[in-house]
Amino acid sequence: MGVVRMPESVMPLCAITTRYDDALDWSVETFAAAGFQVRLKSELFAFDMTNYYQAEMGEDLKKQIFAFEPLRDPQQLAHWKLLTNQWELDFKAQNSYPEDRPLNLDSGYLTLAKFVLATTKDRDHRLYLRDGIFAEVTMSFTGGSWKMHPWTYPDYQTEPAMNFLNAAREELKALFKEARRAEAEKG
């Protein structure tokens, strides 16, 4: 029988997709007000690899991915997704944009072994968490690099996204190393 161990803390992530610069700024401010401080961000890149969101979000979409601190318990993922879903509605209500959805917030987290996203859509490769929220391992880190799955969205396979995930993973390794060093100094 295996020994039950609690998982390590994770680095919260959020990918922000919009065509409005003020939506990006508002999102970062909203995360900060909720206790999520930006640790790292990707370059802003064009979301042009699919037209999936065009009808509800418009054209010329941009995407930027953010990593936050402090590290958190991974079981909070469903809560983060529910929170960001509400923030999307709040942004829409506070502004007058012609699109049905001027802002898309994709919540997730990073471990040294995987990049996980939360979603409201059930599929064969997703596990139910709670309150209508599912999780998927979007990418796995094995053999020294990120491995895609058949369901990995094209925007996460781009060079800016991959550069970000590599940098965020290095940040996470550094945070774990700092925590171990602090613990050793205590004990």
Side-chain angles (χ1 to χ4, degrees):
M1 176 173 66
V3 176
V4 174
R5 294 188 178 110
M6 297 308 294
E8 288 188 296
S9 295
V10 299
M11 180 177 280
L13 302 181
C14 187
I16 302 171
T17 307
T18 185
R19 56 189 291 199
Y20 300 105
D21 292 337
D22 64 326
L24 278 169
D25 297 337
W26 182 90
S27 298
V28 172
E29 291 168 9
T30 302
F31 270 99
F36 293 86
Q37 300 303 315
V38 174
R39 172 89 183 192
L40 187 69
K41 62 183 176 179
S42 75
E43 67 180 84
L44 186 64
F45 60 98
F47 184 87
D48 58 4
M49 55 293 305
T50 177
N51 61 2
Y52 179 80
Y53 290 109
Q54 192 170 347
E56 68 178 342
M57 296 189 71
E59 296 180 359
D60 301 319
L61 295 173
K62 300 168 283 193
K63 187 173 201 116
Q64 193 166 26
I65 312 169
F66 293 82
F68 300 99
E69 56 184 348
L71 301 182
R72 309 275 175 127
D73 187 327
Q75 72 180 342
Q76 294 178 358
L77 181 59
H79 171 71
W80 302 334
K81 182 61 176 174
L82 293 168
L83 194 61
T84 57
N85 281 358
Q86 183 59 53
W87 290 346
E88 285 186 30
L89 296 173
D90 293 348
F91 183 78
K92 169 77 172 148
Q94 294 170 18
N95 296 279
S96 57
Y97 293 108
E99 296 85 11
D100 289 334
R101 189 178 186 191
L103 176 64
N104 178 348
L105 300 172
D106 283 334
S107 307
Y109 66 72
L110 188 74
T111 73
L112 295 179
K114 59 189 168 285
F115 166 43
V116 177
L117 282 173
T119 181
T120 58
K121 299 177 233 30
D122 187 14
R123 299 286 186 271
D124 61 327
H125 62 279
R126 295 177 177 157
L127 298 176
Y128 184 70
L129 299 177
R130 67 174 176 86
D131 299 326
I133 304 299
F134 299 83
E136 74 170 30
V137 175
T138 300
M139 281 190 250
S140 303
F141 193 87
T142 58
S145 65
W146 291 103
K147 305 295 187 228
M148 312 306 161
H149 299 292
W151 53 83
T152 303
Y153 295 112
D155 47 318
Y156 292 110
Q157 298 181 41
T158 62
E159 185 176 336
M162 296 303 296
N163 289 342
F164 169 80
L165 289 171
N166 284 323
R169 188 174 182 278
E170 290 303 313
E171 288 286 317
L172 184 58
K173 281 171 48 177
L175 287 170
F176 284 154
K177 187 175 181 178
E178 287 173 26
R180 283 190 298 274
R181 185 179 19 221
E183 197 62 33
E185 289 173 1
K186 276 189 205 176

